[in-house]
Amino acid sequence: MDLGVKDRAFMVAAASEGIGYGIAEALARDGARLSIASRSREKIERAATTLRENYGIDCRAYVMDAADAQSIRSWTEATLNDLGEVQGLVVNAGGPPPGNFDAFDDDAWARACELTLMSAVRMVRCILPELRRQQSGAILTVTSSSIKEPIDQLLLSNVFRAGVVALVKSLANELARDGIRVNNLVPGRIDTQRVRSLDTMIAGKKGVALEDEQAEQHAAIPLGRYGTIEDMGAAGAFLLSDAASYITGATLVVDGGKMRSVT
């Protein structure tokens, strides 16, 4: 399918690896121009080099800390200066630390809010004037299956990612008049470093081998495997593209059928 993103410019946060990189790569494959960002200069520049060399696109790398308001503003301003315009944004950030309720004081809650919820608010706020100027565009947030089924040991993520989904639904209604679509992408068990770390932690708490914990997780997924960043990338690129021009305010779950909820 031709997604219609060739030569269009997209900003993708937390794109040095994992799901963010998967979405960036899917867009690059169809000829999009990219602004990708992460906290690590070395990692994001390596990712940009790979995308340029593999797909022959214009891909710019920027250092950006999603928990820092000025860093988000600087990324947006630099992107618009370098690429001239932007047609879409992927809101993405690393998750807050795992733990149960008693593990977190007020400062931990505040830091998690800055990283997970306020990063989304700020990224959207920064790009909105550009999208409103064009009277078109797409915003995609990447959250977690915890928005539907809270995950043990991920209390902070459970709480603040649910807030991001509420933001998406509210913005979809508010921004439709400006021709801007806003959607949410929910990964299930995707083979990323964060999931591998979580599996390791759970296996340790259970006192079982990592391979046994992963086998148990695979068995709970109807498709029988973890998802890949390519699976997530294809879904994300679709929601950003004209192929999804009548989809807004939606949450697309990419989980191999694991969730049992009907909504």
Side-chain angles (χ1 to χ4, degrees):
M1 177 188 294
D2 181 2
L3 294 178
V5 300
K6 183 177 175 59
D7 295 327
R8 294 187 179 183
F10 296 86
M11 296 172 65
V12 186
S16 63
E17 57 189 5
I19 292 170
Y21 181 84
I23 296 172
E25 184 175 37
L27 291 168
R29 191 175 290 115
D30 270 31
R33 298 183 296 134
L34 295 174
S35 163
I36 62 174
S38 84
R39 288 178 297 175
S40 168
R41 181 176 299 279
E42 178 183 358
K43 288 182 178 180
I44 200 65
E45 289 183 349
R46 182 165 61 242
T49 298
T50 299
L51 293 172
R52 285 193 297 265
E53 291 178 350
N54 288 352
Y55 303 102
I57 62 160
D58 184 1
C59 181
R60 312 294 179 96
Y62 304 89
V63 176
M64 188 273 293
D65 181 352
D68 182 82
Q70 181 54 51
S71 185
I72 293 170
R73 284 193 295 270
S74 296
W75 175 39
T76 306
E77 292 167 0
T79 296
L80 292 174
N81 182 68
D82 294 342
L83 295 181
E85 61 183 11
V86 169
Q87 282 77 43
L89 166 69
V90 177
V91 175
N92 189 27
N100 292 321
F101 183 78
D102 291 336
F104 304 116
D105 59 14
D106 284 3
D107 287 342
W109 280 95
R111 288 193 299 270
C113 182
E114 290 288 312
L115 175 64
T116 305
L117 178 57
M118 289 308 300
S119 65
V121 170
R122 290 161 177 159
M123 287 184 205
V124 172
R125 181 187 291 141
C126 284
I127 201 59
L128 264 186
E130 169 68 6
L131 300 184
R132 280 178 168 146
R133 181 187 66 79
Q134 298 176 52
Q135 287 291 287
S136 66
I139 297 169
L140 178 67
T141 64
V142 180
T143 57
S144 164
S145 60
S146 66
I147 67 160
K148 291 182 175 289
E149 298 176 354
I151 300 172
D152 291 346
Q153 298 291 321
L154 292 183
L155 178 65
L156 296 176
S157 180
N158 294 342
V159 172
F160 290 113
R161 291 195 192 279
V164 174
V165 179
L167 174 67
V168 166
K169 196 64 176 178
S170 299
L171 287 174
N173 293 337
E174 183 176 334
L175 300 180
R177 69 173 76 92
D178 297 311
I180 301 167
R181 297 182 301 106
V182 190
N183 291 295
N184 179 48
L185 186 63
V186 171
R189 212 74 174 182
I190 307 300
D191 187 17
T192 62
Q193 184 57 52
R194 179 168 171 80
V195 168
R196 289 190 288 272
S197 297
L198 184 60
D199 284 345
T200 300
M201 181 189 70
I202 294 173
K205 287 182 177 294
K206 289 182 176 179
V208 301
L210 174 61
E211 294 77 10
D212 292 337
E213 172 60 25
Q214 290 176 328
E216 182 179 331
Q217 293 290 342
H218 288 181
I221 300 170
L223 288 183
R225 64 173 177 88
Y226 283 2
T228 67
I229 63 170
E230 289 79 14
D231 293 326
M232 292 299 300
F238 165 72
L239 287 173
L240 290 163
S241 76
D242 286 348
S245 63
Y246 200 57
I247 300 175
T248 194
T251 291
L252 176 60
V253 177
V254 183
D255 73 339
K258 185 176 188 297
M259 288 186 198
R260 299 297 190 261
S261 60
V262 297
T263 59

